[in-house]
């Protein structure tokens, strides 16, 4: 399949042939029919990637601190390898799309079905790609009377809806929307549906005119002056009840404007990324409240909710990111008395094959644009083969090692693969990762013959006699057992398993297999470990060894800290 990929090191955009993803439990395999380029967010991502290394460091000092911490803990060489591996990772673009379900993962059979039209969300999931694999929590059925091109706006609408919910507007409230881009225009309509009176502030006359058509009571060009007096006159000198910040700028002007036009104890919902230095005195005197809106809603950035299917109790969290997406799609239906009009926000359409022209339009900014859609030609011959593959069992060949690699994260790319690449008696045959773009990048960087997205492409290949497993911990035991059952030798990164039951399964597979496996406890080769072994071996009698390893806790938000995925350090 084809996918839009950006090089994180150089910023170059390209349409790349990558392996189509394979369906897995709790996920849906979707053939994309339309995807939306979010001008603000995606322009920011593209511009960041195009910065030099120094420019990236200046823009993200938080990432620089992580590198410094790793250098202190693991040394400069390890930190350098990790940074290089991270920058070499391909960056998938897109996070708002629509399409047709072609395979349903285990656990979602009662919620979705093959052939169903759905809207999908999420960076890294709803990509600009011919096929996407998305968790069920980031998908929602599309009403029959809503076209796919409009459903592709679902994620952006959910962002606007959650921003509006954070304002908690009531009937008759006067709300100012600063920024009349896609999210701002959607917020105008949602605020109007909630009974609020809307003021829109922007510097683009065409967007201000559109905002008035979509429900704004008053619009103001921020570049013309007299804004504060006009807003105060409209609000009987009280100021606005709430402000939705939908601008995208490094300037602090939006927050200064908000302070000037807000009433006492007003609330500001920040959806767009703006400069965050605010006039403290004004904010303090009015006791203004700022809430930074969390993307599509509760559940966002929560791996338990998004990827593991853990639900929030409806009595405590009514409007999750999933429910916000569902509601926005419902509001798009022409059957509504006042439907959410996203067709008016579409400024350009491009065939997916011309995505480079679409991004040039958005990033260069020389031509006015708002909603830029990519449309996909659904061809039956492009559909991935989702039928299960038979895996032959063979006795592994002795001598030359032809290896298949499953998983290629930062550690594998920074440490393991460079070593394998330099071994003369090893042939790198196939690399499999959950994201096809990563597999293609690793294939090209290390000289693999093939890139794939399904483990069966390795296990079913009779030429491959050895498998390297470098995936998250929860999949180690299963992959080792399956590789042994296919008659292939295995090198698996630590830990081998997360439970006694998984250990028993691996032991049974090893007993029935002609192949062997080994676990990558790399510290056994460290110089101090060798020295300790030499000295201990020289002493007769019982010996007791006490070791203390101060590696620090794993990041709390990372997969390693999750008991189900990583099991901790």
């Amino acid at each position: 399949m084809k996918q839009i990929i950006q090089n994180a090191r150089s910023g170059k955009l390209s349409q790349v042939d990558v392996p189509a993803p394979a369906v897995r439990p709790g996920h849906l395999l979707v053939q994309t029919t339309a995807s939306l380029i979010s001008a603000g967010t995606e322009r920011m991502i593209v511009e960041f990637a195009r910065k030099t290394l120094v420019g990236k460091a200046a823009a993200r000092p938080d990432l620089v601190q992580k590198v410094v911490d790793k250098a202190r803990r693991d040394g400069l060489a390890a930190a350098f390898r990790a940074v290089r591996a991270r920058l070499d990772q391909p960056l998938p673009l897109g996070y708002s799309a629509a399409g047709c379900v072609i395979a349903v993962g285990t656990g979602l059979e009662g919620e979705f079905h093959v052939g169903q039209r759905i809207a999908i969300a999420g960076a890294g999931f709803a990509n600009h790609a011919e096929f996407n694999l998305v968790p069920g929590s980031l998908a929602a059925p599309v009403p029959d009377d809503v076209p796919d091109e409009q459903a592709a706006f679902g994620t952006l609408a959910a962002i606007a809806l959650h921003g509006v919910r954070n304002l908690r507007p009531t009937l008759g409230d006067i709300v100012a929307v600063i920024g009349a881009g896609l999210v701002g225009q959607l917020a105008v309509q949602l605020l109007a549906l909630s009974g609020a009176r809307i003021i829109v502030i922007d510097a683009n006359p065409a967007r201000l005119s559109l905002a008035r058509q979509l429900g704004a009571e008053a619009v103001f060009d921020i570049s013309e002056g007299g804004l504060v007096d006009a807003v105060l006159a409209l609000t009987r000198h009280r100021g606005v009840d709430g402000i939705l910040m939908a601008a995208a700028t490094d300037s602090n002007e939006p927050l200064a404007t908000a302070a000037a036009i807000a009433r006492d104890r007003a609330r500001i919902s920040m959806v767009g990324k703006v400069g965050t230095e605010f006039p403290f005195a004004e904010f303090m005197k009015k006791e203004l409240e700022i809430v930074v809106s969390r993307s599509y809603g509760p559940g966002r950035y929560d791996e338990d909710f998004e990827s593991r299917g853990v639900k929030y109790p409806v009595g405590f969290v009514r409007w999750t990111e999933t429910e916000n997406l569902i509601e926005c799609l419902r509001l798009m239906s022409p059957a509504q008395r006042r439907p959410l009009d996203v067709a008016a926000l579409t400024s350009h359409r491009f065939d997916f094959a011309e995505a480079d022209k679409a991004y040039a339009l958005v990033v260069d900014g020389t031509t006015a644009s708002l909603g830029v859609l990519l449309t996909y030609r659904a061809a039956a011959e492009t559909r991935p083969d989702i039928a299960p593959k038979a895996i032959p069992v063979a006795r592994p060949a002795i001598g030359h090692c032809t290896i298949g690699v499953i998983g290629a994260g930062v550690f594998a790319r920074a440490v393991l693969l460079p070593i394998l690449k330099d071994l003369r008696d090893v042939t790198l045959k196939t690399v499999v990762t959950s994201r096809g773009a990563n597999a293609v990048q690793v294939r090209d960087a290390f000289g693999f013959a093939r890139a794939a997205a399904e483990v069966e492409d390795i296990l079913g290949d009779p030429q491959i006699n050895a498998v390297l497993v470098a995936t998250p911990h929860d999949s180690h035991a299963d992959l080792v057992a399956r590789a042994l059952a296919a008659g292939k030798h295995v090198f698996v990164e630590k830990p081998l398993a997360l439970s006694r039951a998984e250990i028993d399964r691996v032991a049974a597979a090893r007993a029935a297999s002609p192949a062997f496996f080994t676990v990558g406890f790399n510290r056994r080769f460290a110089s101090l470990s060798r020295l300790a072994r030499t000295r201990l071996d020289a002493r007769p009698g019982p010996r007791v060894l006490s070791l203390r390893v101060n590696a620090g806790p794993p990041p709390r938000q990372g997969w390693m800290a999750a008991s189900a995925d990583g099991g901790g350090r």
Side-chain angles (χ1 to χ4, degrees):
M1 71 168 191
K2 294 187 182 299
Q3 180 174 355
I4 304 299
I5 296 297
Q6 182 173 37
N7 184 294
R9 185 191 296 270
S10 67
K12 181 182 178 181
L13 287 171
S14 53
Q15 193 174 94
V16 182
D17 279 307
V18 304
V23 70
R24 63 175 189 257
H27 289 66
L28 302 165
L29 185 57
V30 180
Q31 184 167 17
T32 313
T33 53
S35 61
L36 177 67
I37 297 178
S38 172
T41 302
E42 296 198 50
R43 184 190 295 122
M44 180 176 65
I45 294 171
V46 171
E47 289 176 348
F48 176 79
R50 288 180 176 177
K51 292 179 184 290
T52 64
L53 192 58
V54 174
K56 289 181 173 73
R60 290 295 304 274
D62 56 322
L63 297 182
V64 174
Q65 186 59 51
K66 289 183 178 180
V67 175
V68 172
D69 292 342
K70 183 171 182 61
R72 287 174 177 166
R73 184 177 63 247
D74 301 332
L76 286 172
F80 175 76
R81 288 195 300 267
V83 169
R84 185 172 59 183
R86 186 73 68 182
L87 287 175
D88 285 338
Q89 276 189 306
L91 182 64
L93 295 178
Y95 64 93
S96 187
C100 179
V101 177
I102 61 173
V104 179
T106 305
L108 296 179
E109 298 90 342
E111 298 181 54
F112 300 93
H113 59 83
V114 172
Q116 184 177 25
R117 294 190 308 125
I118 62 173
I120 56 178
F125 296 112
N127 305 312
H128 299 308
E130 291 178 315
F131 299 93
N132 281 300
L133 183 69
V134 297
S137 59
L138 292 174
V142 177
D144 292 339
D145 54 0
V146 175
D148 287 1
E149 288 189 10
Q150 295 183 22
F153 282 81
T155 307
L156 271 293
I159 292 171
L161 179 56
H162 186 56
V164 169
R165 292 195 192 282
N166 277 325
L167 277 179
R168 299 197 290 263
T170 58
L171 190 66
D173 277 356
I174 301 178
V175 177
V177 176
I178 300 179
L182 271 177
V183 173
Q185 301 285 358
L186 289 161
V188 166
Q189 299 182 64
L190 294 166
L191 284 163
L193 289 172
S194 71
R197 300 168 59 193
I198 307 113
I199 297 170
V200 178
I201 301 168
D202 199 281
N204 185 317
R207 292 186 176 186
L208 290 173
S209 176
L210 178 60
R212 188 182 285 278
Q213 295 175 33
L214 295 176
E217 179 177 319
V219 298
F220 297 102
D221 189 331
I222 197 169
S223 63
E224 291 184 353
L227 167 66
V228 175
D229 290 339
V231 171
L232 291 177
L234 185 65
T235 60
R236 292 188 294 167
H237 295 278
R238 280 196 298 257
V240 297
D241 300 293
I243 297 144
L244 190 137
M245 199 73 69
T249 175
D250 292 330
S251 169
N252 301 307
E253 184 180 1
L255 279 177
T257 301
I261 65 175
R263 68 160 168 82
D264 189 67
R265 305 194 75 194
R267 172 176 275 231
I268 301 168
S269 175
M270 293 185 65
V271 180
K273 185 179 182 297
V274 300
T276 53
E277 291 184 13
F278 59 88
F280 176 81
E282 289 292 321
F283 271 66
M284 181 270 294
K285 289 175 183 177
K286 292 184 177 180
E287 203 172 57
L288 300 181
E289 182 179 354
I290 298 179
V291 57
V292 181
S293 191
R294 178 171 39 198
S295 200
Y296 332 140
R300 189 71 183 116
Y301 313 116
D302 182 348
E303 284 293 315
D304 285 335
F305 182 89
E306 288 193 341
S307 299
R308 302 184 189 103
V310 177
K311 304 300 183 184
Y312 296 154
V314 69
F316 292 87
V317 186
R318 169 63 180 91
W319 291 105
T320 63
E321 58 180 342
T322 311
E323 290 299 319
N324 280 336
L325 181 60
I326 292 171
E327 177 63 9
C328 288
L329 293 169
R330 185 189 73 85
L331 291 172
M332 291 179 194
S333 170
Q336 301 299 315
R337 181 173 297 178
R338 186 176 178 178
L340 186 63
D341 186 359
V342 297
L345 307 181
T346 304
S347 63
H348 296 81
R349 290 178 180 82
F350 291 87
D351 186 87
F352 179 61
E354 298 181 313
D356 56 338
K357 296 180 181 178
Y359 269 96
L361 173 78
V362 169
V363 176
D364 294 345
T366 54
T367 302
S369 65
L370 193 57
V372 179
L373 280 168
L374 298 178
T375 58
Y376 299 70
R377 299 172 184 172
E381 62 270 17
T382 66
R383 291 197 170 197
D385 181 12
I386 58 176
K389 299 177 182 178
I391 299 176
V393 179
R395 179 171 292 276
I398 303 300
H400 189 83
C401 178
T402 301
I403 197 166
V405 174
I406 305 174
V410 172
F411 180 76
R413 295 198 313 276
V415 178
L416 301 177
L417 295 182
I419 296 172
L420 287 174
K421 181 181 179 182
D422 292 338
L423 295 178
R424 288 180 297 175
D425 55 349
V426 170
T427 298
L428 301 178
K429 178 69 183 296
T430 302
V431 58
V432 167
T433 66
S434 58
R435 295 181 180 178
N438 288 345
V440 168
Q441 189 275 329
V442 171
R443 178 198 66 190
D444 296 342
F446 294 98
F448 282 84
R450 294 186 61 226
E454 297 188 58
V455 173
E456 287 75 11
D457 286 312
I458 288 178
L459 302 186
D461 187 339
Q463 293 182 357
I464 293 176
N465 58 7
V467 176
L468 167 65
V469 176
T471 56
H473 301 166
D474 63 316
S475 59
H476 285 186
D478 175 68
L479 292 172
V480 170
R482 290 166 64 187
L484 289 172
K488 302 185 188 300
H489 303 303
V490 183
F491 177 98
V492 56
E493 265 304 318
K494 63 180 188 300
L496 174 61
L498 296 181
S499 69
R500 285 184 177 272
E502 290 181 347
I503 290 288
D504 291 342
R505 181 184 175 192
V506 173
R510 171 65 184 90
S513 174
F516 69 88
F517 75 92
T518 188
V519 182
F521 289 112
N522 53 61
R523 296 299 177 184
R524 73 180 77 175
F525 301 109
S527 58
L528 289 177
S529 297
R530 291 177 172 180
L531 178 61
R533 176 175 296 178
T534 300
R535 292 191 176 181
L536 288 169
D537 286 345
R539 294 175 178 270
R543 286 149 291 185
V544 176
L545 185 64
S546 177
L547 297 178
R548 174 176 292 179
V549 179
N550 185 15
R556 294 183 63 184
Q557 301 302 320
W559 63 266
M560 191 185 295
S563 59
D565 295 343
R569 198 181 288 285

